[in-house]
Amino acid sequence: MTNWQDWLAIRAPVPLSLFFMKTNVTIRRAVPGDGEALALIGAASFLESYAGVVDGAGIIRHCAMKHAPAVYEAALADPAQSLWLAEMAPGSAPVGYLHLAPPDLPVKAAPGDIEIKRIYVLSRLHGMRLGRQLMETAVEHARARGHANLLLGVYKGNERALAFYGRMGFEALGERQFDVGGSVYCDWIMGRAV
């Protein structure tokens, strides 16, 4: 390895092999029948993000309740909710998703507000602009539907997500308590104009 490869291997936000690999990820609107793929990426991303932070049994309970295929199929059947699935070729493996829904947050929401329930991306793809693409999808959808603001909740200890949302123009609006498997954690409620 040359010196620049050593430097890059230490500092790259993704594994060196992925840095040089062209990723073939597409984003498409999720449809009924995508519940299993959404559940898989939801549970995998939650585990990646919170292992070592949240009790393992709590993660398992949370994922069984919040990331079950039936939960996603119900969201897909609800016309007030919208989901997109990021898939990697070849093979269309699920690697991320976006979920928008009417606000369910402890802040005063205006009639034109919409909540980003989740933007999840597998950690090996962090730094590859997939999160930004999903956020752009959220903004485009919100604008097309006449929404005024995007809202979201994010764990206060998730520094990577907080930095990402800050770069995307979100600001803290309030706080909430969030139960994960019987333990309570603190989230920031954040928002930005569309």
Side-chain angles (χ1 to χ4, degrees):
M1 230 185 328
T2 64
N3 286 342
W4 70 267
Q5 287 173 316
D6 291 335
W7 180 88
L8 187 59
I10 293 168
R11 290 165 182 82
V14 295
L16 187 59
S17 60
L18 283 177
F19 187 81
F20 291 106
M21 179 182 81
K22 182 178 188 275
T23 58
N24 295 316
V25 176
T26 57
I27 298 171
R28 66 170 176 85
R29 187 77 180 255
V31 296
D34 284 332
E36 286 188 23
L38 292 161
L40 178 63
I41 192 66
S45 298
F46 193 86
L47 177 61
E48 282 185 332
S49 296
Y50 297 107
V53 176
V54 175
D55 173 69
I59 290 173
I60 293 167
R61 282 192 306 276
H62 177 82
C63 289
M65 290 175 21
K66 303 290 185 182
H67 295 290
V71 171
Y72 289 99
E73 288 299 338
L76 289 165
D78 182 350
Q81 299 187 52
S82 303
L83 293 97
W84 287 262
L85 188 58
E87 298 172 318
M88 182 178 279
S92 299
V95 294
Y97 75 92
L98 164 67
H99 183 180
L100 299 175
D104 182 23
L105 298 165
V107 294
K108 185 174 172 132
D113 293 349
I114 190 165
E115 180 182 351
I116 296 175
K117 293 298 246 185
R118 294 183 187 96
I119 287 184
Y120 279 175
V121 173
L122 287 181
S123 64
R124 75 182 203 145
L125 297 179
H126 288 179
M128 312 268 314
R129 300 183 56 83
L130 181 53
R132 181 178 291 274
Q133 290 174 318
L134 289 167
M135 182 62 73
E136 289 168 358
T137 299
V139 171
E140 288 171 15
H141 178 78
R143 281 186 184 142
R145 296 285 196 273
H147 294 290
N149 297 294
L150 287 168
L151 305 173
L152 58 86
V154 60
Y155 173 55
K156 284 184 174 185
N158 191 340
E159 294 177 11
R160 184 179 196 104
L162 289 168
F164 170 73
Y165 293 130
R167 287 190 305 275
M168 297 295 105
F170 284 82
E171 296 179 356
L173 303 175
E175 301 177 36
R176 75 169 169 189
Q177 303 295 306
F178 188 72
D179 185 300
V180 178
S183 295
V184 177
Y185 299 88
C186 293
D187 283 359
W188 284 117
I189 306 301
M190 303 182 80
R192 64 158 275 188
V194 173

